[in-house]
Amino acid sequence: MLQVLPFSKYQGLGNDFLVLDGRSLGDPEDLFGLTPERVQRLCDRRFGVGGDGVLLALPPREGGELRMRIFNADGTEPEMCGNGIRCLARFLADSDGDVPPRRWEIETLAGRIVPALAEDGRIRVDMGVPFLTPDTVPTSLPLGPEGLPFGELEVLGQRFAVAAAGMGNPHAVIPVDDVAAIDLENLGAALEVHGAFPARTNVHFVQVLAPDHLVMRVWERGAGPTLACGTGACATLVACHLLGLADRHARLDLPGGPLEIQWDEASGHVFMTGPAEAVFDGVVAPSLFGEGSEVNEAAPAAAATMPAMDGALASIDCATACVNGCLRPEACASAEARASVAALLEGRSLDDLVALAGESLESRTRGRLSRDAPAAP
Ligand code: ZDR
């Protein structure tokens, strides 16, 4: 039964994830009691923690060092996640005190993926061989002479030349003259569910600045527009190279920053190099997953459980802090929290409070650093 759920928030180029460490879970398939609804709630940026997805580090099954599962913000489970696996590698290094050239053999639904710590602080990931046939993407676009599925699709009354490539997960790649002019919200949403992609698809519009420098915008399957997409950047470089638009090694500028992508000729593997950073650690309150509360009704549900205010609390004016006005003036959702902060401030000096925060952070950091290394495979 779920009590409290500790998590670490990480981001890679602004593609952000909640990492749950289940490497020592007794029953790994319990998955911390996660359901699609709970993933949606965790990823909700207003009523939850906020994230583009949830990453699980799990014990291995097929000889790797560990296994990764990822859930999109909508609760669906994709096969792979490039930015996510960089975040997971950084999390493992932070948790276990690893330094370069540490690498991990990680089992995913897209096969064995191998991230490694680079000396410059970035993470270089062997993303494996791209999938370039219609049935492996999957797509109904026919295999073109360029060596990948390619064809014209009509969306919202416009026709686009669309290439498709798989990195375990499906990607539609659309070269355009000006990415900034693309109506990503509407075109991305329509293409994600286009009939040519039976498993839905991630959607990327790309503009070629030079053969070694591309700029792209991303619509992620199950998450909408995001600031970066690792698997998408790999698929985009592969597609652009096969279409004669890009070199095998290029910088891809995403809204959240650049990724370096190399499609190695000898091995056929795609290598992705980019950053991943810790944001914060936290613990999810059990009430976030309260019985009977629907995903988009968290605020009214929370207000309904608030105790009645007494006269002193009623004098607290929180209206200025509530962007959309008070949700429930007769039982303001922030009154209790404000009262306990006021009590804490009354009884302690600023020095005491700074020391308290420092001790808490230190004990959490020490606990994290002293956590056992994963069992050897
Ligand atoms: C785009 C992605 N974040 C990455 O970095 O590769 C992957 C997330 C999964 C994606 N939304 C999908 O394939 O459903």
Side-chain angles (χ1 to χ4, degrees):
M1 190 59 203
L2 190 77
Q3 296 297 321
V4 293
L5 183 62
F7 67 90
S8 297
K9 172 102 181 259
Y10 276 71
Q11 60 86 15
L13 298 178
N15 199 194
D16 56 342
F17 303 93
L18 310 185
V19 184
L20 308 184
D21 190 353
R23 286 176 292 167
S24 54
L25 274 189
D27 174 9
E29 290 324 305
D30 178 49
L31 299 179
F32 302 97
L34 282 186
T35 60
E37 292 71 29
R38 287 179 172 190
V39 170
Q40 289 169 15
R41 181 66 68 90
L42 283 170
C43 292
D44 189 308
R45 295 187 187 281
R46 299 273 178 189
F47 296 113
V49 179
D52 292 324
V54 174
L55 299 171
L56 300 179
L58 297 167
R61 275 184 173 161
E62 289 155 10
E65 180 168 339
L66 69 150
R67 185 162 56 98
M68 176 180 90
R69 288 183 73 180
I70 166 179
F71 294 91
N72 287 319
D74 71 355
T76 56
E77 181 173 13
E79 302 79 353
M80 232 306 270
C81 179
N83 285 318
I85 208 158
R86 288 202 321 279
C87 288
L88 180 59
R90 172 65 62 213
F91 167 82
L92 295 169
D94 289 349
S95 304
D96 303 339
D98 293 313
V99 294
R102 179 72 156 101
R103 61 201 283 283
W104 297 263
E105 301 257 345
I106 301 183
E107 300 166 10
T108 75
L109 291 179
R112 189 80 63 89
I113 307 290
V114 187
L117 296 177
E119 290 292 344
D120 64 3
R122 292 185 299 168
I123 293 159
R124 184 169 197 256
V125 189
D126 180 347
M127 300 281 284
V129 175
F131 297 95
L132 297 171
T133 58
D135 58 322
T136 53
V137 171
T139 178
S140 60
L141 287 171
L143 187 61
E146 301 85 359
L148 82 173
F150 189 71
E152 275 211 349
L153 294 179
E154 184 169 331
V155 231
L156 305 178
Q158 299 177 58
R159 292 192 76 77
F160 291 96
V162 179
M167 292 302 306
N169 52 353
H171 297 273
V173 178
I174 306 170
V176 294
D177 291 336
D178 180 6
V179 273
I182 291 297
D183 176 5
L184 185 67
E185 288 281 339
N186 289 312
L187 292 171
L191 277 159
E192 177 184 353
V193 297
H194 194 284
F197 293 92
R200 302 192 290 153
T201 187
N202 298 287
V203 181
H204 312 291
F205 290 93
V206 57
Q207 179 181 342
V208 179
L209 302 177
D212 63 353
H213 191 184
L214 315 180
V215 56
M216 60 187 282
R217 289 175 70 198
V218 174
W219 174 276
E220 267 192 49
R221 178 178 67 166
T226 61
L227 295 182
C229 178
T231 50
C234 294
T236 299
L237 184 277
V238 166
C240 287
H241 179 70
L242 289 172
L243 295 174
L245 301 171
D247 296 339
R248 279 186 170 268
H249 193 157
R251 163 182 162 160
L252 278 83
D253 289 344
L254 296 119
L259 281 175
E260 184 185 332
I261 310 291
Q262 179 192 6
W263 189 15
D264 181 54
E265 192 159 11
S267 65
H269 286 218
V270 184
F271 292 86
M272 168 191 66
T273 308
E277 303 294 341
V279 183
F280 62 90
D281 283 358
V283 174
V284 176
S287 56
L288 187 71
F289 299 144
E291 289 296 325
S293 53
E294 299 304 323
V295 169
N296 289 321
E297 291 172 7
T305 61
M306 282 291 148
M309 290 190 296
D310 62 27
L313 292 182
S315 68
I316 295 174
D317 175 16
C318 62
T320 50
C322 296
V323 178
N324 296 316
C326 188
L327 286 171
R328 192 175 168 189
E330 72 282 10
C332 170
S334 65
E336 193 178 49
R338 282 161 187 263
S340 49
V341 169
L344 190 69
L345 288 172
E346 231 168 66
R348 292 179 187 263
S349 71
L350 188 58
D351 282 353
D352 284 350
L353 291 170
V354 170
L356 191 68
E359 278 163 25
S360 156
L361 180 62
E362 185 181 346
S363 69
R364 281 189 297 121
T365 307
R366 281 186 187 285
R368 182 157 163 181
L369 290 177
S370 64
R371 197 177 301 157
D372 287 342

